[in-house]
Amino acid sequence: MVAALSSLLVRLTSQRWLWWLGGGIWGVVLFTLSSRSRLPTGPEIPFQDKIVHFLYFSGGGFCFALALFLPQVPLRGRWVWLAAGAAFGAVIGAVDEYHQTFTPGRSGNDLGDWLADFTGASTGALVAWVFLAWIRRQNGKSPA
């Protein structure tokens, strides 16, 4: 059972197009949410907005990094993945914040949101490196 699950995980992880698709869907959802004047509300948590930005952008950074670096053998260093995630978060986060300035009821250009986007994408890319290194070790390939 564990071997079959591990084999399935290795096969799914090795499909680069799947990560590009995930990143594309992530981008469409981001654009859609940023275009809405009102977002669904939930329980009030301190800094909830920043937490949501961080978590959402970590998913984008994860998909982007895997799509970009997946075929590399040996695996590039963590700092390269971190830098790619940081660049992704900085650019897409800035574009998203700018886009929100044109959405009625939204403020946009929030430095705190942008920092959460930036750090979230950087963290997501780093988690992707750890994930792929673990998958490659499980599959008998050296991660570095």
Side-chain angles (χ1 to χ4, degrees):
M1 175 74 176
V2 172
L5 183 59
S6 178
S7 176
L8 175 65
L9 190 57
V10 167
R11 278 184 297 175
L12 285 175
T13 304
S14 67
Q15 302 299 314
R16 190 176 188 192
W17 67 269
L18 192 61
W19 299 109
W20 283 120
L21 177 65
I25 292 169
W26 178 91
V28 168
V29 170
L30 176 68
F31 183 82
T32 302
L33 291 174
S34 293
S35 298
R36 296 183 68 184
S37 294
R38 293 179 44 95
L39 296 174
T41 59
E44 283 298 316
I45 300 170
F47 305 106
Q48 177 179 353
D49 178 46
K50 306 311 178 236
I51 294 168
V52 169
H53 274 261
F54 178 87
L55 292 174
Y56 191 77
F57 269 79
S58 66
F62 185 90
C63 288
F64 174 74
L66 279 174
L68 192 62
F69 296 125
L70 185 63
Q72 294 177 349
V73 176
L75 197 57
R76 285 191 181 201
R78 283 176 281 228
W79 69 270
V80 175
W81 287 59
L82 184 65
F88 172 83
V91 171
I92 302 300
V95 169
D96 179 52
E97 287 301 313
Y98 181 69
H99 171 240
Q100 288 179 34
T101 63
F102 298 102
T103 304
R106 303 287 293 273
S107 59
N109 292 331
D110 183 335
L111 181 61
D113 285 354
W114 179 82
L115 286 171
D117 299 343
F118 172 80
T119 57
S122 302
T123 302
L126 192 56
V127 169
W129 184 90
V130 170
F131 175 70
L132 188 58
W134 179 79
I135 290 291
R136 288 185 177 182
R137 270 195 306 275
Q138 299 303 310
N139 201 29
K141 295 179 183 173
S142 174

